[in-house]
Amino acid sequence: MTSFRFAVNVTPKPGILDPAGRAVEGSLGHLGIEGVQDVRIGRRAELTVEATEVTVARAVVERMASELLSNPLIEVFEIESIAGASSATDSQAGAD
Amino acid sequence: MTSFRFAVNVTPKPGILDPAGRAVEGSLGHLGIEGVQDVRIGRRAELTVEATEVTVARAVVERMASELLSNPLIEVFEIESIAGASSATDSQAGAD
Amino acid sequence: MSIIELEVEPLHRRLGVTDDELEAIRARLDGRDPNDLELAMFSVMWSEHCSYKSSKPLLRTLPIAGEGVVAGPGENAGVISIGDGLAVAFKIESHNHPSAVEPYQGAATGVGGILRDIFTMGARPIAVLDALRFGDPVDPRTRHLVDGVVRGVGGYGNCVGVPTVGGELVFDPSYGGNPLVNVMAIGLLEERRLTLAAAPGPGNLVVLFGSTTGRDGIGGASVLASATFSDDDPSKRPSVQVGDPFAEKLLIEASLELIDRGLVEGLQDLGAGGITCATSETADRAGTGILVDLDAIPRREPGLAPFEVMISESQERMCAAVLPENWEAVREVCDRWGLPVAIIGRVTDDGDIAIVQAGQEIARIPARALTSDAIVHDRVAAPPTHRRDAPAPGAPSEISDRLPERGTDPGAVLLALLGSANLSSRHSVFRQYDSTVGANTVAGPGRGAAVLRVDGTTKALVATTDGNQSVGRLDPWLGAALSVAEATRNVSITGARPLGVTNCLNYGDPTRPEAFWQLSEGVRGLADACLALGLPVTGGNVSLYNESASGAIAPTPEIGVVGLLDDIATLVGPAFVMVDDAILLIGAAGPGLVGSEYAGLAGEATEDAPPALDLAREAAIQRFVREAISRGLVASAQDISGGGFGVAIAECAMWSGLGASVRLAIGHSPAVDLFGESPSRLVLTCRPRYAAALELLARQHGLPAETIGSVGGDRLRIELTLAGATGAAEERGGWVADALEVPVRDLSHVWEHGLARALGWEG
Amino acid sequence: MPVRVGVVVFPGSNCDRDTVRALDLVGAEPVVLWHEQASLDSVAAVVLPGGFAYGDYVRAGVIARFSPVMRSVAEFAGRGGLVLGICNGFQVLAESGLVPGALLRNASLRFVGHEVAIAPVRSDTAFTRGLEIGRGLRMPVAHGEGRFYADAVTLDALERDGQVLFRYVDPAGMPADPDHLANPNGSLRAIAGVMNAAGNVAGLMPHPERAAEVILGSDEGFGIIRSLVESAAQAVGQGPAVIGTGAR
Ligand SMILES: Nc1ncnc2c1ncn2[C@@H]1O[C@H](COP(=O)(O)OP(=O)(O)O)[C@@H](O)[C@H]1O
Ligand SMILES: [Mg+2]
């Protein structure tokens, strides 16, 4: 088994009201920041999957992202492969 | 001026209890998913900055990320350049 | 070019407009065809949700006159004067279908919508009550819906800072595919600030403020509310409305400030039907027209088609009629509260809603054609072939004891009832709500009606919601009348005088004769009960097509009542107060267990019937209890409803931590007397020396009354006696001997954990 | 002359009116301070009330921190002015760094709205004068992000320096563990309220202003409001001497 680490980025669907993003934009004046637009606030999940190969791991993440981490009616997600899951644990895999 | 689009990923500091991540792990059984670990739930902000050049834009994002989007006591952030801000709006810049 | 491309069906049908309705539309346009934009506007306004096309003739039969009524049905909320120059505004509304699609946002926007109905009238919202109904709590789909809806109600109400002080959570299999999310809101206003939803004065500006307009809920009014909701047709799902409680909070403050400073001539919230509905209704009420400049409407995203702008249900928006000289001041208020604001049109004198884009007129419809002159359908009503009527009051009955109560320990039955999904404590839900913000909550959720003090006076408002689907499914007249009886009784037992009734009529597809019969019977029950109790119906809402693949919901008229207590010092609660107080039972149990929680547990006898309701007796018992309380005779007052006498007295005990010892005379059978839910009964306590006076007062009101025991100890003990039992009852023998005896601690334990266990929130 | 106490109103504040009322009851003169104003109108103390300032979007309290009034509040606090943050006000103070620690999402991941008991840890601060140490005071909580967090070193220092003001206590009066019901949000070391090192800025999650009258179910929050007002009066020379302020 190998460990793969992924990130799932969940953001509000285009066209769906994003009250948090709007509130952030509205506050930039107080921060003295100009020229920032189209702020969208979403969620990010990072997770490690143990699987035999990356396609299997990605399929698991895909399912989690669509069924658990996002709401398809109002959100979209994308999956990223990220570093961090100190890759292979081959020696342990051998022990299984 | 050019438009740059960034994402800011904010995650709980290592060592900080993340009940949301734990809740996701706890519900995996219901979905029949195994082998997923170390789930951390954070925030993701996506935004567009108008600036003369990318370093200027990134400095703005840096400030927003550290002062507004994350709390250094409990969170860490990283900044990503992302696609989407249909880059330059040069013709308009000329009109300024 | 067509708004929606033509496929097989002509456009009007795809928008939910029937061929007959299209004919009727042509007739209102002097014979011409509507263009696509006009057709879209008609389709939302002639939806069931906006036009009440099936229910209007029925609603006309409701009693609406009453003491102090300042605004009744037809306005955004009913308003009743409470003296001291103050008035209370209240209304209940459903958000069933949006909540089935997206429980969090559906419930959240439901709260937002009903709050707007309240502050549109010039009232500051002071309370929310949420009446929720779901299917089997074990079903994962139900659990998902409960979780989302509860989070949504809290997410919105907590943030806007209006306390959620009451409501209901009921599980019944008929809601499995179609949950009910009904929300009631209450507001307080100075009577002179009363603001109506009209656009008077040709030449006045029409001003839109609040959030920008996007694609939210396009088709919501027409597709969602008037077509049968179906799980497996995602193409019919409109884009979900997302609520922004922060924007709503700003909208409340800005609207109240505008009203306070006299800057608006009329005010209307935007709900179903969006700008189309707000402009046509306000124009029609004032006998004016409105010219809308489409380009002036602030948008959230580019590329919206005119029809999308006109029917969008984007949340947190308000529409005002403003004198031109007040515009600058209006703009200043909105700017200060950070709300986008724009002049989107002008009041005209031609009676039309006209829409102009880039200088071109692209639609023109008489305002009344969209609202007061919308189509009305004569639906066909037919009762089902199999019915179970309630027996006439006083009719003999030997049918209701064929239940497996014999040999069963009544204490075990009581514990099972107290721990059941429907009767256990709802605290794991309402603890997710802020019930105390506003610092007026005297009694919040959990123990009978909610009580809110009226700051600056000695008065209090008392509010509750009730519905009764389990009797309603057998006898829709009785279900409705019982709901009114129970809701008003819950108010009366605090000492408060019910002021008026708001209602949400949740029914199935009105084109099915049986569903329409249920609706007509429900309205008849509502009217009969309100007349008997002398109460006006001040407003409400109708939600039809509550059906899913698994069938129609049980008819559920949800009743909201607000009452007034003149002196809060006289307030009486349901919990026991003091050791040695006498316990009195007022009223008498009637036969019939069908529809009760006990029958749900033990099984229904097929030949049994629901208990009867005598409206005159109900009125008498409420008059009696209010008089007894005002005379200072009563220490605690509890009504007998779900779970019967046993659950009622157990609640008095649990909520006080005090035990009781009573002797209950069995007139019918232990099941009926202990757990039957026949109406018009109370458990009262008083200082022992007042017991005789209370009994006498009850008899003067024509009510049976008996002192049955006293408060004290740490156990609930109910001895069952044969006194008053008929020979027939003795024959059945064997069941009278067992007394019920349970430590109060044990009662509390099962009661407190029941709901969380049923929902899997707790192991 | 009653002492003037400012109540800041951010867009989204929703306990400002309740706080004004409680200050009135105690005999102070409440002064409403709009978030866009830089002047504190010469008040003797400032209360940041509960609510959802700027919707509490992103993180509770963070956006409010940047409003003009907060710059003035920070200066005022720097000069030793008394500042009390209640619930959302506490979150704003923590985000601003005016009190130590952070308020994380409740451990249950749910909003909590019910009565709790909090016990004062000290009776000699501007916010707890005259209160009985260790005696539970009943008042409501109503928040989604109230789990007090600081790292172990900071927590030790806060305890050592006497900056812990209130703790959630169980029915027996003992500090409630993070997983005990009496600790509504999972706060570390049962901390319900803290103050800065100088002892003039404090925050707490529960709502004393909603528990200032018997008719509302409890008047056990009254003493906290009264303590603030008395300390403010004393600070501007209008009242009795403060028993003691500041950290130990
Ligand atoms: N069941 C009912 N009983 C009495 N009045 C009702 C009922 N249903 C709707 N009404 C009244 O009809 C009017 C229109 O209702 P509705 O379209 O829901 O109003 P709004 O758009 O302001 O929410 C309101 O004044 C409402 O009180
Ligand atoms: Mg309305």
Side-chain angles (χ1 to χ4, degrees):
Chain A
M1 296 293 256
T2 316
S3 294
F4 304 93
R5 194 142 175 97
F6 294 92
V8 179
N9 299 321
V10 180
T11 43
K13 249 190 192 172
I16 284 273
L17 177 70
D18 174 18
R22 231 169 41 168
V24 168
E25 283 178 28
S27 72
L28 293 171
H30 286 165
L31 273 140
I33 288 178
E34 274 173 39
V36 171
Q37 294 157 10
D38 296 331
V39 181
R40 306 289 277 175
I41 305 286
R43 258 187 319 282
R44 177 175 172 97
E46 297 184 356
L47 49 97
T48 300
V49 189
E50 295 265 311
T52 47
E53 49 176 317
V54 68
T55 50
V56 177
R58 188 174 272 270
V60 168
V61 181
E62 193 88 43
R63 244 193 92 203
M64 280 181 66
S66 62
E67 294 180 25
L68 195 60
L69 299 169
S70 77
N71 177 346
L73 289 175
I74 52 177
E75 293 166 333
V76 290
F77 66 86
E78 71 191 12
I79 296 173
E80 265 179 54
S81 223
I82 56 175
S86 56
S87 65
T89 51
D90 293 281
S91 56
Q92 286 170 0
D96 278 354
Chain B
M1 297 291 256
T2 316
S3 294
F4 304 93
R5 192 143 178 97
F6 294 92
V8 180
N9 298 319
V10 180
T11 41
K13 251 189 188 171
I16 294 255
L17 176 69
D18 173 21
R22 254 187 2 192
V24 168
E25 286 176 24
S27 61
L28 292 172
H30 298 296
L31 280 162
I33 289 178
E34 276 171 37
V36 172
Q37 292 157 12
D38 297 331
V39 180
R40 307 289 279 173
I41 305 287
R43 244 188 319 277
R44 180 177 172 95
E46 296 183 357
L47 47 95
T48 299
V49 190
E50 296 264 311
T52 47
E53 49 176 317
V54 68
T55 50
V56 178
R58 189 175 273 270
V60 169
V61 180
E62 195 85 45
R63 235 193 101 205
M64 279 183 68
S66 62
E67 295 184 22
L68 183 66
L69 298 170
S70 75
N71 178 342
L73 284 180
I74 49 175
E75 293 163 333
V76 292
F77 68 86
E78 71 192 13
I79 295 173
E80 264 179 56
S81 219
I82 55 173
S86 54
S87 66
T89 51
D90 294 278
S91 56
Q92 287 170 3
D96 278 355
Chain C
M1 199 185 74
S2 214
I3 306 166
I4 293 175
E5 267 171 47
L6 236 94
E7 281 172 13
V8 255
E9 291 258 71
L11 176 63
H12 69 273
R13 284 197 216 140
R14 302 192 55 206
L15 286 170
V17 175
T18 64
D19 295 356
D20 290 352
E21 288 172 343
L22 182 61
E23 242 350 279
I25 289 171
R26 286 197 189 104
R28 285 157 177 79
L29 294 177
D30 298 328
R32 76 172 166 91
D33 273 324
N35 64 34
D36 290 355
L37 170 58
E38 290 166 340
L39 188 57
M41 291 165 67
F42 272 107
S43 83
V44 284
M45 292 306 295
W46 285 23
S47 70
E48 201 66 68
H49 193 89
C50 290
S51 71
Y52 292 83
K53 60 190 170 190
S54 300
S55 55
K56 223 182 226 175
L58 299 174
L59 297 180
R60 289 202 188 103
T61 65
L62 294 172
I64 58 171
E67 195 189 326
V69 175
V70 184
E75 283 296 335
N76 284 297
V79 178
I80 298 184
S81 170
I82 59 167
D84 296 328
L86 299 174
V88 59
F90 60 103
K91 170 134 182 257
I92 189 166
E93 205 163 74
S94 65
H95 233 207
N96 305 339
H97 294 149
S99 303
V101 176
E102 213 307 287
Y104 184 97
Q105 294 297 343
T109 51
V111 174
I114 191 65
L115 288 174
R116 285 193 291 283
D117 275 339
I118 298 300
F119 65 80
T120 299
M121 311 290 303
R124 179 173 284 278
I126 58 166
V128 161
L129 295 91
D130 61 329
L132 312 177
R133 281 175 164 68
F134 298 96
D136 181 357
V138 172
D139 182 353
R141 169 87 188 141
T142 298
R143 292 177 173 188
H144 168 75
L145 289 173
V146 173
D147 188 62
V149 165
V150 168
R151 285 180 191 273
V153 170
Y156 207 97
N158 300 343
C159 183
V160 292
V162 179
T164 301
V165 297
E168 275 173 285
L169 173 59
V170 175
F171 300 98
D172 180 291
S174 79
Y175 306 115
N178 192 311
L180 299 188
V181 176
N182 290 184
V183 186
M184 173 170 167
I186 303 173
L188 202 58
L189 68 153
E190 282 182 59
E191 220 174 305
R192 66 200 170 96
R193 297 281 184 239
L194 179 69
T195 305
L196 299 181
N204 282 340
L205 307 174
V206 177
V207 170
L208 184 70
F209 62 103
S211 291
T212 47
T213 298
R215 282 203 174 84
D216 320 49
I218 300 274
S222 55
V223 180
L224 245 195
S226 57
T228 300
F229 171 66
S230 151
D231 244 350
D232 36 40
D233 189 359
S235 67
K236 279 206 167 175
R237 286 182 178 175
S239 96
V240 170
Q241 306 160 31
V242 172
D244 181 356
F246 171 56
E248 179 103 337
K249 170 68 176 161
L250 305 179
L251 206 55
I252 294 176
E253 300 304 333
S255 300
L256 293 180
E257 184 176 336
L258 291 173
I259 289 171
D260 213 41
R261 290 173 51 186
L263 294 175
V264 294
E265 308 310 302
L267 193 60
Q268 169 75 312
D269 63 306
L270 275 74
I275 296 173
T276 302
C277 185
T279 50
S280 55
E281 287 191 354
T282 51
D284 188 22
R285 285 193 191 114
T288 57
I290 289 179
L291 180 75
V292 177
D293 175 4
L294 200 73
D295 302 312
I297 295 167
R299 318 196 178 183
R300 196 158 73 226
E301 55 188 314
L304 292 183
F307 92 95
E308 291 179 303
V309 176
M310 287 306 294
I311 69 175
S312 158
E313 294 185 3
S314 286
Q315 300 289 297
E316 292 93 22
R317 296 180 298 165
M318 297 290 270
C319 186
V322 173
L323 292 174
E325 60 266 34
N326 285 337
W327 160 244
E328 278 307 321
V330 169
R331 181 162 67 183
E332 184 274 323
V333 170
C334 292
D335 281 352
R336 185 152 33 79
W337 287 104
L339 295 171
V341 55
I343 299 170
I344 63 155
R346 254 170 213 283
V347 179
T348 60
D349 58 9
D350 58 17
D352 288 347
I353 299 304
I355 298 165
V356 170
Q357 183 188 32
Q360 296 279 313
E361 184 171 299
I362 55 171
R364 177 174 286 274
I365 306 173
R368 52 192 311 270
L370 291 168
T371 59
S372 56
D373 191 30
I375 195 156
V376 174
H377 291 300
D378 273 327
R379 304 289 191 198
V380 179
T385 40
H386 295 293
R387 297 179 54 190
R388 276 196 276 195
D389 290 313
S397 158
E398 18 68 68
I399 50 178
S400 42
D401 59 321
R402 302 241 180 112
L403 292 162
E405 83 264 14
R406 260 161 265 186
T408 310
D409 168 14
V413 175
L414 178 59
L415 287 170
L417 285 171
L418 286 175
S420 69
N422 278 342
L423 296 179
S424 51
S425 166
R426 262 88 263 267
H427 73 263
S428 45
V429 165
F430 62 71
R431 280 187 170 194
Q432 299 179 52
Y433 302 150
D434 187 343
S435 61
T436 53
V437 61
N440 291 316
T441 308
V442 174
R447 300 179 177 194
V451 181
L452 296 145
R453 68 144 169 226
V454 180
D455 203 3
T457 72
T458 60
K459 295 174 179 168
L461 293 169
V462 179
T464 189
T465 65
D466 270 301
N468 188 332
Q469 73 292 332
S470 29
V471 170
R473 73 154 55 79
L474 301 164
D475 180 343
W477 178 91
L478 185 58
L482 277 174
S483 305
V484 176
E486 183 174 344
T488 50
R489 196 187 315 131
N490 282 329
V491 168
S492 288
I493 59 173
T494 64
R497 176 173 54 88
L499 295 171
V501 169
T502 182
N503 68 97
C504 189
L505 301 172
N506 303 279
Y507 288 85
D509 175 354
T511 63
R512 273 196 311 110
E514 185 179 333
F516 190 67
W517 171 80
Q518 291 175 328
L519 174 64
S520 356
E521 284 292 284
V523 172
R524 194 168 66 81
L526 170 60
D528 287 351
C530 289
L531 275 174
L533 295 165
L535 291 175
V537 173
T538 60
N541 175 244
V542 179
S543 172
L544 303 179
Y545 298 96
N546 287 291
E547 307 204 356
S548 68
S550 47
I553 61 161
T556 314
E558 186 63 39
I559 305 299
V561 173
V562 174
L564 178 67
L565 186 63
D566 283 320
D567 182 359
I568 199 167
T570 64
L571 175 69
V572 162
F576 291 147
V577 173
M578 214 184 289
V579 171
D580 291 338
D581 276 357
I583 302 175
L584 285 82
L585 179 62
I586 314 291
L593 285 168
V594 169
S596 67
E597 291 295 332
Y598 175 83
L601 204 72
E604 286 188 354
T606 44
E607 69 278 36
D608 195 4
L613 169 67
D614 176 345
L615 285 167
R617 162 157 302 185
E618 182 63 42
I621 204 165
Q622 293 191 31
R623 271 194 307 269
F624 152 75
V625 73
R626 291 196 301 266
E627 184 178 341
I629 290 171
S630 73
R631 289 210 202 161
L633 295 173
V634 181
S636 73
Q638 163 80 323
D639 92 305
I640 294 176
S641 53
F645 172 82
V647 166
I649 193 167
E651 288 175 344
C652 300
M654 293 186 297
W655 298 343
S656 62
L658 297 172
S661 182
V662 301
R663 290 167 73 92
L664 188 66
I666 301 301
H668 299 275
S669 76
V672 167
D673 285 276
L674 268 179
F675 305 120
E677 299 178 3
S678 64
S680 314
R681 288 180 296 151
L682 305 174
V683 176
L684 303 186
T685 66
C686 65
R687 297 271 66 208
R689 64 177 180 281
Y690 295 153
L694 260 183
E695 282 187 31
L696 183 65
L697 185 62
R699 297 215 184 90
Q700 286 168 354
H701 280 86
L703 300 163
E706 204 178 338
T707 302
I708 57 170
S710 62
V711 176
D714 58 2
R715 319 182 133 237
L716 176 63
R717 181 176 164 80
I718 305 175
E719 263 178 57
L720 308 176
T721 76
L722 268 174
T726 62
E730 255 164 28
E731 246 165 56
R732 293 180 206 121
W735 37 257
V736 178
D738 293 346
L740 178 156
E741 183 159 353
V742 190
V744 174
R745 200 174 354 100
D746 294 359
L747 299 173
S748 298
H749 185 82
V750 295
W751 180 72
E752 275 162 19
H753 294 279
L755 180 64
R757 286 199 181 138
L759 284 169
W761 289 354
E762 189 180 280
Chain D
M1 210 181 69
V3 60
R4 290 161 59 80
V5 177
V7 177
V8 173
V9 179
F10 299 107
S13 293
N14 64 30
C15 303
D16 45 321
R17 296 150 59 87
D18 312 2
T19 305
V20 162
R21 189 190 155 88
L23 288 167
D24 242 346
L25 277 177
V26 173
E29 179 191 339
V31 178
V32 169
L33 303 172
W34 181 237
H35 71 121
E36 294 277 13
Q37 78 183 70
S39 157
L40 297 187
D41 292 347
S42 50
V43 294
V46 174
V47 181
L48 307 187
F52 286 68
Y54 296 92
D56 273 359
Y57 292 125
V58 182
R59 254 189 343 276
V62 66
I63 298 179
R65 160 190 168 199
F66 297 103
S67 52
V69 78
M70 280 311 293
R71 235 164 270 150
S72 309
V73 168
E75 270 168 36
F76 177 73
R79 295 194 308 268
L82 291 174
V83 180
L84 175 65
I86 300 171
C87 195
N88 193 227
F90 185 14
Q91 294 163 336
V92 174
L93 289 177
E95 282 290 344
S96 309
L98 292 173
V99 292
L103 295 151
L104 308 189
R105 201 157 164 216
N106 296 345
S108 64
L109 302 176
R110 293 180 189 276
F111 189 94
V112 291
H114 56 87
E115 191 177 83
V116 297
I118 59 169
V121 177
R122 300 177 56 179
S123 62
D124 58 349
T125 74
F127 310 95
T128 57
R129 48 197 289 176
L131 302 180
E132 189 180 326
I133 293 174
R135 160 97 179 267
L137 306 170
R138 292 178 303 115
M139 61 191 77
V141 281
H143 60 253
E145 299 175 36
R147 182 161 66 105
F148 186 81
Y149 171 85
D151 60 40
V153 175
T154 308
L155 287 172
D156 289 342
L158 293 179
E159 291 183 331
R160 185 191 60 226
D161 298 340
Q163 287 177 249
V164 175
L165 266 191
F166 296 102
R167 283 205 161 91
Y168 298 105
V169 291
D170 65 21
M174 298 305 291
D177 285 340
D179 52 5
H180 190 284
L181 263 179
N183 181 335
N185 46 36
S187 286
L188 297 183
R189 304 195 191 176
I191 293 174
V194 294
M195 60 179 187
N196 64 349
N200 64 317
V201 183
L204 80 168
M205 287 313 294
H207 288 276
E209 83 284 8
R210 296 186 198 174
E213 294 171 79
V214 174
I215 189 145
L216 301 178
S218 168
D219 63 353
E220 296 171 12
F222 186 87
I224 297 173
I225 309 289
R226 192 204 54 215
S227 170
L228 171 77
V229 170
E230 283 177 9
S231 305
Q234 190 269 338
V236 294
Q238 292 180 13
V242 182
I243 309 154
T245 47
R248 280 192 282 255

